[in-house]
Amino acid sequence: MLESGCKAVKEGVLEKRSDGLLQLWKKKRCILTEEGLLLIPPKQPPPPQQQQQQPAPAEPAAKIKELHFSNMKTVDCVERKGKYVYFTVVMAEGKEIDFRCAQEQGWNAAITLQMVQYKNRQAILAVRSTRQKQQHLAQPHHGPR
């Protein structure tokens, strides 16, 4: 179970293209849940010289980035090239995040499936809520006689 209370559906490593000028591929530890995708930077050991001179300061909590399905529009499979499948997660505000993984890992399919299931659950909840409101309004009000 994660802090958010969602259980992990899939865990592993994905490569994310950086936003910088060079657009390098950076490995991210990823946890797919029923609510979204968590991106966790891999832990990097401090350089050897730093270890000898002084104890390294306590490492700040890893910058965990959550791509929540409520903010996700689509997962586009861009191409399969060599051993990789390249895909793009398109967010509601139009931001595009590029990923790649080994074809056999099937991350793009797993993310798409979880996103569709999440959107379906939200739609069902919305319909139930609307029906409850309609039933409440349709009930006759028994006033004093």
Side-chain angles (χ1 to χ4, degrees):
M1 286 287 229
L2 300 167
E3 294 165 27
S4 59
C6 296
K7 67 178 195 293
V9 176
K10 182 177 176 74
E11 287 187 56
V13 175
L14 261 176
E15 290 183 59
K16 177 185 171 291
R17 191 181 350 227
S18 65
D19 295 331
L21 187 64
L22 299 176
Q23 294 193 333
L24 302 170
W25 289 101
K26 295 185 177 174
K27 287 187 186 326
K28 301 280 184 185
R29 198 165 69 85
C30 297
I31 302 173
L32 180 63
T33 71
E34 295 173 343
E35 301 289 319
L37 182 66
L38 299 173
L39 304 176
I40 305 159
K43 286 195 173 91
Q44 295 174 338
Q49 323 107 292
Q50 202 176 21
Q51 288 177 332
Q52 295 163 357
Q53 294 170 357
Q54 61 192 23
E59 188 180 326
K63 292 189 297 183
I64 297 175
K65 186 173 184 180
E66 183 175 4
L67 303 179
H68 202 278
F69 290 136
S70 62
N71 299 327
M72 221 180 263
K73 264 178 33 182
T74 60
V75 179
D76 295 335
C77 185
V78 180
E79 65 179 323
R80 295 173 193 277
K81 199 158 123 186
K83 65 178 184 173
Y84 290 110
V85 60
Y86 294 81
F87 61 97
T88 302
V89 171
V90 182
M91 303 305 284
E93 68 272 11
K95 183 176 183 191
E96 295 185 356
I97 306 165
D98 295 328
F99 293 98
R100 74 178 182 186
C101 66
Q103 286 193 33
E104 65 274 5
Q105 290 179 336
W107 271 100
N108 56 323
I111 294 167
T112 302
L113 181 64
Q114 286 305 315
M115 183 181 69
V116 167
Q117 288 177 347
Y118 174 85
K119 302 267 186 195
N120 285 346
R121 283 194 305 273
Q122 296 306 305
I124 289 167
L125 291 173
V127 167
R128 281 186 189 150
S129 173
T130 304
R131 282 191 184 150
Q132 285 174 347
K133 285 177 189 167
Q134 287 172 344
Q135 285 173 353
H136 182 71
L137 292 172
Q139 289 175 353
H141 294 287
H142 297 291
R145 292 188 180 187

